[in-house]
């Protein structure tokens, strides 16, 4: 579990920033698909994670 840090006033409640590295080819495929779906990159990744989790 990630350490709890004090949030700045500009940070969103109930969310945590997480740094993740993607291989270039995977990143390109995600960006292309997100664009086709009319979604943002983060929206597409969140939906894929929820799908993987079975939600």
């Amino acid at each position: 579990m990630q350490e709890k840090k004090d949030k700045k006033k500009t940070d969103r409640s109930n969310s945590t920033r997480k740094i993740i590295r993607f291989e270039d080819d995977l990143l390109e495929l995600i960006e292309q698909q997100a664009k086709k779906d009319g979604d943002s990159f983060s929206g597409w990744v969140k939906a894929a994670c929820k799908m993987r989790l079975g939600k």
Side-chain angles (χ1 to χ4, degrees):
M1 179 69 79
Q2 194 170 358
E3 269 184 39
K4 281 281 188 189
K5 296 182 181 177
D6 292 332
K7 291 189 177 219
K8 299 175 189 170
K9 286 193 317 186
T10 57
D11 286 347
R12 295 181 178 155
S13 61
N14 298 325
S15 68
T16 302
R17 183 178 297 266
K18 187 76 171 172
I19 308 289
I20 183 170
R21 185 177 298 272
F22 290 90
E23 291 85 9
D24 292 337
D25 56 343
L26 178 58
L27 182 61
E28 182 65 31
L29 290 171
I30 293 169
E31 289 175 335
Q32 288 173 4
Q33 190 62 50
K35 188 175 182 179
K36 284 181 191 176
D37 294 346
D39 206 351
S40 66
F41 175 82
S42 63
W44 192 95
V45 172
K46 288 175 189 178
C49 290
K50 289 176 183 176
M51 190 180 303
R52 177 74 172 146
L53 291 169
K55 295 183 177 185

